[in-house]
Structure formats: structure tokens, C-alpha cells
Amino acid sequence: LFLSLLIGGIGVVTCLPMGIVLALARRSKLPIIKTFAVTYIELFRSVPLITMLFMSVTILPFFLPAGLTLDKLAQVLVGQSLFLAAFMAETIRGGLQAMSRDQYEAADALGLNYWLKMRLIIMPQALKIMIPSITGSFIGTLKDTTLVSIIGIFDILLMTQLTARNPKWLGFSMEPLTITTLFFFILCFSLSKYSQYLEKKLNRS
């Protein structure tokens, strides 16, 4: 259970700031930065997550400096964060495009530079608009943590399957699966209700 929460929590915490950077880079007027961001986003969005997990535990070690080794869990966390950041970047880019042009012009009229304009005016309003989409991405991230069982990491789903095959617990396969289902339902439902609370709290219009 702790492992599932750890993988999901780190994925949620890392993909949002990485997604913001990628979204801003994709909207950049500098060709090199924009090309890099577009290539990264389209590349990682074009492969399934399970493929990314397999690549992170088989190919990632070849790109590490000599003498540096990561265990399988760390490799999975790196691959998951890189994968989720690409999807979060497109979510954030959609929120930025939904902003009225008047907001950009008003920020320019105040004499704010690009970073102050984004930090103080544009991004706070855009993130408020994107709360449902961001929450949906977070929920998907938490549910996708069960995919790590395919590469041999003992998360809550793999432990549930092993329990069902234990000779001492034969005939009790539905109980652990039911508990696991309830766990994910409560977690995802709580996130959904919290996002609705945030929407009402931040609705100042």
C-alpha cells in the first residue's frame, strides 16, 4: 500500500512543475526551445505507459554515468515522471490558450516582464481553469500505479494476486480484490470531491 501511494504521490508531485515548464517551452518564440518541447511531448505521448516502464528499467541504466546505479523503483519513478509530464504539458497549454488576450495585454500595460506576467497573472488564472483536467490526470496517475506489477514491483495489486494464490488463502480471492477496489475508489473519489471544493473556493468571477 505504501509503495502504491509513493509511486502515485511522486508522479503527481513531479509531473505538474515539469508540465508547466514544457507547456511554456512549447509556446516559446525561440525555435530551439520550442522544437525540443514539441519533440519531447509528441514522443512521450505516442508510447503506452507500460512501454515506458519497460524502457526505464532496461534502457535507462545505459544512459547513467559510470558508477551511478538506480534500483528498479527509482528507474520506474524517473520513467513515470517523464511520461506524465508530456500529458500534463498539453493540459496546461490548453488552459493557457483559454486565457483571454486582454489578460496578456493588461500585464504588458503594467510593465511586467515575461516571468512576472506568467507567475502573477496568467498562470494562477489558467491553473484555476484547469482544475478538473489536472485532477483527472492525477486520478489516472494513481490508478496507473498498478502497472508496475507487470515489471515485478510488489505494489498492492501484485500482493493481492499473490495472496489469492497462497495455499493458506485458497477460495478467498474476491476479498482482497474487493478491498483493493474500495481503496482506489475512496482515494480517487476523495480527489474528485477536493477538486470540486477547490473550484468553488477559487471561483471569484
Side-chain angles (χ1 to χ4, degrees), residues 83 121 127 131 186 190:
F83 178 85
I121 296 180
L127 289 175
I131 286 177
I186 292 173
S190 300

Side-chain angles (χ1 to χ4, degrees), residues 2-194:
F2 172 76
L3 188 60
S4 299
L5 292 174
L6 177 67
I7 296 173
I10 291 179
V12 166
V13 169
T14 57
C15 73
L16 184 58
M18 291 174 64
I20 292 175
V21 172
L22 286 171
L24 294 178
R26 183 160 189 169
R27 291 167 55 88
S28 174
K29 297 180 180 179
L30 299 176
I32 296 178
I33 295 178
K34 183 174 183 179
T35 301
F36 171 79
V38 170
T39 303
Y40 178 95
I41 293 171
E42 297 303 326
L43 177 63
F44 280 87
R45 290 178 70 223
S46 301
V47 297
L49 177 56
I50 187 61
T51 303
M52 192 64 201
L53 294 178
F54 276 115
M55 291 177 62
S56 65
V57 298
T58 56
I59 299 178
L60 180 61
F62 293 105
F63 293 93
L64 296 177
L68 178 62
T69 58
L70 297 176
D71 59 19
K72 186 181 290 187
L73 176 58
Q75 295 169 5
V76 165
L77 292 174
V78 171
Q80 177 188 245
S81 298
L82 295 175
F83 178 85
L84 296 174
F87 285 87
M88 185 59 67
E90 287 299 278
T91 299
I92 293 172
R93 187 171 70 92
L96 292 174
Q97 289 181 338
M99 290 292 300
S100 171
R101 186 65 192 171
D102 296 340
Q103 298 296 319
Y104 292 89
E105 294 175 354
D108 292 335
L110 291 173
L112 299 178
N113 60 33
Y114 175 80
W115 296 110
L116 285 176
K117 176 171 63 177
M118 284 295 170
R119 184 169 65 88
L120 299 177
I121 296 180
I122 304 301
M123 195 58 69
Q125 297 182 72
L127 289 175
K128 184 176 70 172
I129 297 173
M130 294 181 290
I131 286 177
S133 299
I134 292 176
T135 303
S137 298
F138 287 172
I139 290 175
T141 300
L142 291 173
K143 293 189 294 184
D144 287 343
T145 57
T146 56
L147 291 175
V148 300
S149 62
I150 299 177
I151 57 177
I153 293 182
F154 287 81
D155 72 320
I156 187 172
L157 182 61
L158 185 54
M159 291 303 297
T160 298
Q161 295 171 347
L162 292 177
T163 301
R165 292 196 294 266
N166 191 321
K168 296 181 180 180
W169 299 97
L170 291 179
F172 293 97
S173 60
M174 289 300 298
E175 285 79 358
L177 287 174
T178 302
I179 294 298
T180 303
T181 303
L182 287 174
F183 161 71
F184 278 104
F185 171 76
I186 292 173
L187 191 60
C188 295
F189 183 75
S190 300
L191 272 176
S192 177
K193 298 302 291 184
Y194 182 68

